[in-house]
């Protein structure tokens, strides 16, 4: 069926699903999106007027008024699709409007009679019966959403360059919790660094008012209020500019607050290159006198501000790895700003994939919960030293306090309801007390793969299964971690007796 021929409720389910798939925003895997849409269309087959309303709303991007599109409310209010559970109105709003949406960001329009919050027996999942809202104090002056974007302009996360010049498509099930978040280029020119004053100092940890924010402090949003609360499990995303519904990041406004007095390291980062799970070549150290370093696939000698991967040999290199290396090309540029913030510019003709706790937090995800696909020419921030410092302080303090409480509980000094000789409280504290030095070191490390991605949208589930990738250790952050551990020493987690 031609995409331009809008189906009706009288058409076959397959035709309707095909048409609605063309309007998805690309934030979920194709497998997950197809299952979610198929499930909805089948449920609406007996309610033709509502199915027609859904088709009209989606194919016109909400340009025409539409009725409620309802499904039966489940006992816990959540819908299961491809092994994943979520609130139904959120699932479909992510599919067709905002791929980076959070469950706390939706508010129904006044004329919606079956909105999720109304607690009716049926739930309206019409994405255009909901509006996206944000926490007070965040400036929306720069927020733009291109609602006219159709299927042709949306970028599909799962697309990956294959070596015959075609796009390869993964058939991996979308039931995994890990998500790929896209970062297309925002413009041809990066934001000038001189426009943003670089802080020389970092903030001390802020007193926490609840358990949910103990380990994950609030972070100032770009052009926003640095004290605004984070609505979901201690996470608040900054509100990025949007283009075709995809996440894009802009630099936050720094705030000069005090940091421990420590002299800057001689090298601002060290870069290790891996092929699958094997390090190849020596670790490359970047002097602090070279704030910008290029990592590329060429064969020139490495030195100073350039790490060339092409000249590294590996007797165990496979043909697949060799092919992938040929497409690293101009690679990436890493830039250290201020005391230790890091930005990445993708110079390659192919995307790079990044593991970044900073970008996870910016996207409102838990640390390690996402892989970030950075498109060619994109220039984005991937590490914030102030945020990392605050997080390591709070996690160290949490671990130290939990370990002390656990020890007291094991000794029977914390009697309470449900405790049996003090053992039950110790078990409940074991997770918090289990934070070790290695967990804190991960806050100071970036990982990045070239050409090939990993996660549920790709055949590879770990970065160690990708053909060529780098691990970047950030020395200023590691230096600050040493300071934190000197003031708040934590032991490696020990099993309970």
């Amino acid at each position: 069926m031609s995409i331009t021929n809008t189906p009706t409720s009288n058409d076959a389910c397959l035709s309707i699903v095909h048409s609605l798939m063309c309007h998805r925003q690309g934030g979920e895997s194709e497998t997950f999106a197809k299952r979610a849409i198929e499930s909805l269309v089948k449920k609406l087959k007996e309610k033709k007027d509502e199915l027609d309303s859904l088709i009209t709303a989606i194919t016109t991007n909400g340009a025409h008024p539409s009725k409620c599109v309802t499904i039966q409310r489940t006992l816990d209010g959540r819908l299961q699709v491809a092994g994943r559970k979520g609130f139904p109105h959120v699932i479909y709003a992510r599919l067709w409007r905002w791929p980076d949406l959070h469950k706390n960001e939706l508010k129904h329009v006044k004329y919606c009679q079956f909105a999720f919050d109304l607690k009716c027996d049926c739930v309206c999942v019409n994405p255009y019966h909901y509006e996206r809202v944000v926490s007070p104090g965040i400036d929306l002056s720069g927020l733009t959403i291109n609602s006219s974007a159709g299927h042709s302009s949306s970028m599909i996360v799962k697309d990956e360059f294959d070596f015959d010049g075609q796009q390869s498509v993964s058939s991996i099930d979308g039931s995994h919790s890990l998500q790929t978040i896209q970062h297309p280029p925002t413009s041809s020119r990066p934001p000038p660094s001189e426009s943003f004053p670089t802080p020389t100092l970092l903030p001390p940890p802020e007193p926490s008012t609840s358990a949910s924010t103990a380990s994950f402090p609030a972070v100032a949003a770009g052009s926003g209020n640095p004290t605004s609360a984070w609505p979901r499990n201690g996470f608040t995303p900054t509100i990025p500019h949007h283009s075709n519904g995809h996440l894009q990041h802009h630099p936050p406004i720094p705030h000069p607050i005090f940091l421990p007095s420590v002299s800057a390291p001689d090298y601002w980062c060290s870069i290790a290159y891996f092929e699958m799970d094997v390090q190849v070549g020596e670790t490359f150290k970047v002097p602090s006198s070279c704030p910008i370093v290029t990592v590329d696939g060429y064969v020139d000698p490495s030195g100073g501000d350039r790490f060339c991967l092409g000249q590294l040999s590996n007797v165990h290199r496979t043909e697949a790895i060799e092919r992938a290396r040929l497409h690293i090309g101009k690679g990436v540029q890493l830039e250290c700003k201020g005391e230790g913030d890091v930005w990445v510019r993708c110079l390659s003709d192919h995307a790079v994939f990044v593991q970044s706790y900073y970008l996870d937090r910016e996207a409102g995800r838990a640390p390690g919960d996402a892989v970030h696909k950075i498109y060619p020419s994109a220039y984005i921030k991937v590490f914030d030293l102030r945020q990392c410092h605050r997080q390591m302080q709070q996690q160290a303090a949490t671990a130290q306090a939990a370990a002390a409480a656990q020890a007291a509980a094991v000794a029977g000094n914390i009697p309470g309801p449900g405790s049996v000789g003090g053992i039950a409280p110790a078990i409940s504290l074991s997770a918090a007390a289990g934070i070790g030095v290695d967990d804190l070191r991960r806050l100071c490390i970036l990982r990045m793969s070239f050409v090939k991605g990993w996660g549920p949208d790709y055949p590879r589930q770990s970065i160690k299964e990708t053909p060529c990738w780098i691990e970047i250790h950030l020395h200023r952050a590691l230096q600050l971690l040493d300071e934190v551990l000197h003031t708040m020493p934590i032991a490696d987690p020990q099993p309970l007796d």
Side-chain angles (χ1 to χ4, degrees), residues 29-147:
S29 69
E30 184 177 27
T31 301
F32 179 85
K34 188 174 182 180
R35 290 193 185 181
I37 295 172
E38 282 177 344
S39 171
L40 180 57
V41 170
K42 288 176 181 177
K43 289 173 182 173
L44 297 176
K45 253 307 185 178
E46 300 304 316
K47 298 188 282 187
K48 293 186 179 295
D49 58 334
E50 293 188 22
L51 182 52
D52 282 325
S53 285
L54 175 69
I55 295 169
T56 298
I58 301 307
T59 57
T60 65
N61 294 314
H64 299 294
S66 54
K67 301 177 182 178
C68 284
V69 177
T70 62
I71 61 174
Q72 190 70 30
R73 180 186 289 270
T74 60
L75 288 175
D76 65 355
R78 296 185 297 169
L79 179 69
Q80 181 162 323
V81 177
R84 289 165 52 185
K85 275 195 168 186
F87 295 115
H89 62 313
V90 176
I91 289 175
Y92 293 107
R94 281 177 181 160
L95 277 180
W96 285 309
R97 296 194 71 183
W98 306 288
D100 59 320
L101 179 72
H102 299 270
K103 64 182 180 182
N104 294 330
E105 293 182 336
L106 285 183
K107 177 183 178 182
H108 64 272
V109 296
K110 291 181 179 179
Y111 53 82
C112 182
Q113 299 177 332
F114 297 94
F116 181 83
D117 292 338
L118 298 181
K119 308 294 184 184
C120 301
D121 290 339
C122 291
V123 178
C124 178
V125 295
N126 186 337
Y128 292 94
H129 276 204
Y130 295 90
E131 297 171 343
R132 189 173 188 177
V133 296
V134 293
S135 301
I138 297 180
D139 181 12
L140 295 182
S141 60
L143 180 63
T144 58
I145 298 178
N146 185 354
S147 60

Side-chain angles (χ1 to χ4, degrees), residues 236-444:
T236 291
T238 61
I239 303 304
H241 292 243
H242 287 68
S243 173
N244 300 340
H246 300 295
L247 268 176
Q248 301 178 42
H249 289 267
H250 298 266
I253 298 175
H255 300 274
I257 311 178
F258 292 101
L259 156 78
S261 177
V262 184
S263 59
D266 294 333
Y267 300 91
W268 71 267
C269 79
S270 56
I271 307 170
Y273 169 66
F274 292 83
E275 293 177 358
M276 307 295 279
D277 59 350
V278 176
Q279 182 174 348
V280 177
E282 299 293 325
T283 299
F284 183 81
K285 293 184 178 181
V286 184
S288 295
S289 58
C290 297
I292 299 177
V293 61
T294 301
V295 183
D296 60 40
Y298 300 127
V299 296
D300 299 327
S302 298
D305 61 355
R306 189 176 176 199
F307 185 19
C308 297
L309 306 179
Q311 46 94 24
L312 298 177
S313 60
N314 177 11
V315 295
H316 302 294
R317 184 172 293 151
T318 65
E319 185 179 348
I321 294 174
E322 194 65 71
R323 288 199 305 268
R325 280 167 51 84
L326 292 174
H327 291 84
I328 295 175
K330 296 179 181 178
V332 296
Q333 199 174 68
L334 306 172
E335 181 175 359
C336 181
K337 291 190 176 185
E339 279 203 66
D341 293 355
V342 180
W343 289 66
V344 167
R345 188 195 312 275
C346 181
L347 303 176
S348 174
D349 292 334
H350 309 294
V352 294
F353 300 81
V354 177
Q355 184 181 72
S356 159
Y357 287 176
Y358 169 76
L359 287 181
D360 291 344
R361 203 170 298 278
E362 287 288 285
R365 305 299 294 249
D369 196 29
V371 178
H372 300 268
K373 183 175 183 178
I374 301 179
Y375 283 82
S377 301
Y379 177 78
I380 70 169
K381 185 176 183 179
V382 294
F383 181 80
D384 185 285
L385 185 65
R386 181 177 66 254
Q387 181 195 89
C388 176
H389 182 239
R390 184 184 300 164
Q391 186 178 350
M392 65 176 69
Q393 285 179 312
Q394 295 214 2
Q395 285 199 16
T398 299
Q400 192 179 50
Q406 185 188 64
V410 170
N413 295 333
I414 307 180
S419 66
V420 181
I423 298 302
I427 295 172
S428 67
L429 290 167
S430 62
I435 299 174
V437 175
D438 285 345
D439 298 295
L440 297 180
R441 282 181 61 85
R442 290 190 192 101
L443 302 174
C444 312

